[in-house]
Amino acid sequence: MTAARTVTVVGASLAGLHAARGLRTQGYDGRLVVVGEEHHRPYDRPPLSKEFLTGDGDPGEGLGPLALTDPEEEAELDAEWLLGVRAEALDTAAGEIRLTGGRALRTDGVVIATGATPRTLPLPPLDGVHTLRTLDDALRLRAELRAGAERAVVIGAGFIGAEVASSCATLGLDVTVVEAAPLPLVPHLGEEMARVCAGLHTRGGATLLCGTGVAGLRGAGRVTGVELADGRVLPADVVVVGVGVRPVTEWLEGSGLALDDGVRCDAGCVTALPNVVAVGDVARLDRPGSARTVRAEHWTSGMLQGDVAARNLLAGSTVERFDALPYFWSDQYGARIQYAGRRESGDTVRIVEGDPAEGGGFLAVYERNGIPTAALGVDRPRPFMRLRRELARAPQPAGR
Amino acid sequence: MIPVCRIEDLPEGESVRIEAGDATAPIAVFHTDGAFYAIDDTCSHQDASLSDGWLEGCYVECPLHAALFDLRSGEPTCLPARKPVRTHAVTVVDGMLYVHPATQIVPGQPVHAAPEEAVA
Ligand SMILES: Cc1cc2nc3c(=O)[nH]c(=O)nc-3n(C[C@H](O)[C@H](O)[C@H](O)COP(=O)(O)OP(=O)(O)OC[C@H]3O[C@@H](n4cnc5c(N)ncnc54)[C@H](O)[C@@H]3O)c2cc1C
Ligand code: FES
């Protein structure tokens, strides 16, 4: 695609921005358009459930420390920013993206970076009920948590739910976390380590209720409580629903691209069309050497895929694969959790440093037939990093 | 000037974090490539301690999101960090390692009054 005159990045966030950077650093000097539904320039989401919620002072008007770019870099990128504009459809045959308001954008290359959006529950639309994905979501939640709310109920004890619960506890609210599964995070961490992480809630002063679904909400106009499937009612001034996300692909229906819980691409972020690539939370990649596909919802993948996708888009074929070791971190109740690798159910886990039972930090390694597959650290940044690097270099069991 | 430790207590490849007093941010001291270096301990990207980082020659990799900093200049060489960390002078007197917290302003950083404790 060396002759491309216009490349359009759809989604002005982490992955889209890094793809745009990748295009420029690899010498693309044609027209670069970035379309973003949010009104903001790219900003960082991880702080939204953490220090942004608990931080002192007025977050102010601008993006402040959340900004992923600065004016100097934006000038270097030399992109046209269409912000507050949604891509409604992609016509691959005509090489056109249809935007809100019916406007069509001619483009030679497309980077799909539309990320993910929170899953919802069939609950009535009451005030005081939140999801958390965008800065605007976070501003609304932040304001309510400071407007005299005393009791928060968080539905879903995944990483974001746990972080929000932790932030609510830091702000002095009485917090209950409701989780439908018998134990949260088992698919991510395995049962043993999931139990340890679940213990963080109690340690941090929140109540974790597992194995019970939510039946409904109480309140007229504004939420006053959460009804559980087992009949209990939890009084609540604020409810946060954190039951996972789904990739944003509706706008690609009818484009001919393969969609299957994400945009299907090869191991180099390239779709069936060499001039259309996908990056970040929306991209479902082939995993070389196995029949499986993977869609990551982690910040580091979103950041790193942009460069690979840009290279392949400019080359017109897949000349590089994305093969970084999956990595994520989470900050909750004063603990820093870090995970890297490709754990699968059945892998054993061994504590190599510290003692989870004592409630302090520890380092655990997952193994299959004696081969390390993943690492989990709680407040052990330095040895965790050593293990993470070893994992990245070591051969992995076949098919991961 | 802040005493760090005796030089034999910071072998090659190791780092130590020192609290430089209430008025100065914590400082990370490294022994690598045959020399001692001191930089601000807190990553300029988000909240991570660079003394926990991975040393590779004159560079340290942040333990949270892997930004790489040049220990000589404090400049990041890759994303996600975009701002430098401050560097601090290091001296050895009679086998004892000292850090002299920098009071000058690094471009792009907010201006703070020089803390008096730091220039003892
Ligand atoms: C609160 C929170 C905390 C997190 N904490 C961590 C953490 O601690 N560690 C970690 O590893 N990860 C964390 N993550 C995940 C991480 O932020 C995501 O993996 C990352 O944001 C993915 O980037 P992305 O660019 O793929 O998608 P997104 O950041 O979701 O961005 C997609 C963008 O595309 C826009 N868009 C969507 N549809 C359209 C359209 N049709 N037209 C135009 N624009 C469109 C959206 O408005 C959005 O701005 C967290 C996420 C959240 C929300
Ligand atoms: S905190 Fe250091 S790179 Fe993010």
Side-chain angles (χ1 to χ4, degrees):
Chain A
M1 223 202 58
T2 33
R5 283 150 300 156
T6 302
V7 175
T8 305
V9 177
V10 186
S13 182
L14 178 75
L17 173 68
H18 279 269
R21 280 175 175 158
L23 287 164
R24 287 301 190 216
T25 53
Q26 289 165 46
Y28 173 67
D29 60 3
R31 180 177 178 223
L32 181 58
V33 184
V34 184
V35 182
E37 185 175 5
E38 293 181 71
H39 289 272
H40 308 287
R41 293 275 164 130
Y43 62 86
D44 215 11
R45 292 182 207 278
L48 298 181
S49 47
K50 309 177 181 79
E51 59 266 28
F52 182 83
L53 281 186
T54 55
D56 296 331
D58 184 350
E61 285 292 297
L63 295 173
L66 297 176
L68 288 173
T69 60
D70 55 36
E72 198 184 323
E73 198 212 348
E74 283 169 20
E76 276 172 30
L77 262 187
D78 190 21
E80 291 166 42
W81 298 83
L82 303 180
L83 298 179
V85 174
R86 233 182 95 80
E88 303 285 359
L90 173 65
D91 183 339
T92 51
E96 265 183 11
I97 298 172
R98 211 168 51 250
L99 305 176
T100 1
R103 191 176 144 200
L105 187 70
R106 270 274 318 132
T107 194
D108 304 296
V110 181
V111 178
I112 298 169
T114 43
T117 194
R119 288 182 195 283
T120 49
L121 296 173
L123 296 172
L126 296 178
D127 287 347
V129 181
H130 300 257
T131 53
L132 178 54
R133 182 74 191 180
T134 65
L135 175 57
D136 296 357
D137 293 340
L139 282 166
R140 276 189 294 269
L141 177 60
R142 192 179 191 278
E144 272 201 4
L145 293 176
R146 279 144 212 271
E150 289 173 5
R151 290 156 308 185
V153 172
V154 177
I155 302 175
F159 288 109
I160 290 181
E163 289 181 358
V164 171
S166 158
S167 293
C168 290
T170 303
L171 290 170
L173 278 82
D174 185 3
V175 189
T176 306
V177 185
V178 182
E179 168 62 47
L183 193 62
L185 299 175
V186 174
H188 304 78
L189 303 177
E191 186 163 337
E192 219 174 313
M193 291 300 109
R195 197 170 306 284
V196 173
C197 287
L200 292 173
H201 289 280
T202 325
R203 224 180 72 194
T207 306
L208 174 65
L209 300 178
C210 289
T212 176
V214 168
L217 296 177
R218 288 274 168 96
R222 197 181 164 84
V223 73
T224 58
V226 175
E227 292 173 16
L228 302 183
D230 62 14
R232 276 180 289 180
V233 176
L234 305 172
D237 306 312
V238 174
V239 173
V240 183
V241 182
V243 293
V245 294
R246 57 173 182 80
V248 176
T249 54
E250 304 85 63
W251 68 285
L252 296 167
E253 304 280 346
S255 66
L257 293 175
L259 306 175
D260 167 22
D261 182 39
V263 177
R264 283 295 308 271
C265 3
D266 68 8
C269 302
V270 182
T271 66
L273 300 173
N275 62 334
V276 181
V277 297
V279 288
D281 283 12
V282 77
R284 177 167 286 283
L285 272 62
D286 284 345
R287 186 84 200 110
S290 89
R292 74 186 63 204
T293 59
V294 277
R295 187 174 68 77
E297 292 170 357
H298 308 147
W299 187 91
T300 304
S301 325
M303 180 176 81
L304 296 176
Q305 284 172 357
D307 213 48
V308 175
R311 177 159 299 121
N312 293 334
L313 185 69
L314 294 177
S317 67
T318 303
V319 294
E320 188 181 337
R321 288 167 160 189
F322 176 74
D323 197 26
L325 191 74
Y327 165 68
F328 65 79
W329 79 99
S330 173
D331 293 335
Q332 34 184 290
Y333 305 108
R336 169 156 292 162
I337 301 173
Q338 291 176 286
Y339 168 94
R342 300 191 174 95
R343 190 200 77 86
E344 276 175 21
S345 98
D347 291 2
T348 56
V349 63
R350 186 162 62 87
I351 304 294
V352 291
E353 225 187 279
D355 183 359
E358 281 171 13
F362 67 91
L363 182 68
V365 56
Y366 296 89
E367 289 165 324
R368 162 78 44 136
N369 302 329
I371 304 174
T373 56
L376 174 71
V378 175
D379 290 332
R380 282 290 186 279
R382 201 210 277 251
F384 171 84
M385 177 135 104
R386 198 163 299 147
L387 208 54
R388 178 183 169 191
R389 294 181 77 97
E390 282 171 20
L391 276 165
R393 277 196 310 260
Q396 294 279 297
R400 301 223 176 173
Chain B
M1 182 162 94
I2 302 167
V4 180
C5 61
R6 298 209 50 86
I7 48 173
E8 58 270 24
D9 293 334
L10 188 63
E12 175 87 29
E14 290 297 318
S15 55
V16 61
R17 174 182 195 265
I18 54 168
E19 297 285 349
D22 290 346
T24 314
I27 292 174
V29 187
F30 303 89
H31 184 184
T32 181
D33 260 10
F36 296 99
Y37 299 92
I39 60 173
D40 280 346
D41 185 51
T42 307
C43 182
S44 68
H45 176 232
Q46 276 162 20
D47 183 20
S49 182
L50 292 172
S51 57
D52 287 329
W54 181 266
L55 271 175
E56 199 104 61
C58 287
Y59 299 88
V60 64
E61 183 187 301
C62 174
L64 195 53
H65 311 124
L68 205 63
F69 291 91
D70 188 330
L71 296 175
R72 295 161 295 192
S73 62
E75 291 291 334
T77 63
C78 72
L79 293 167
R82 283 180 292 124
K83 284 175 288 181
V85 289
R86 290 185 309 173
T87 58
H88 308 278
V90 179
T91 52
V92 177
V93 181
D94 293 335
M96 190 70 194
L97 192 60
Y98 296 91
V99 162
H100 308 256
T103 48
Q104 84 276 23
I105 309 309
V106 174
Q109 294 279 313
V111 177
H112 295 296
E116 279 169 29
E117 296 91 309
V119 283

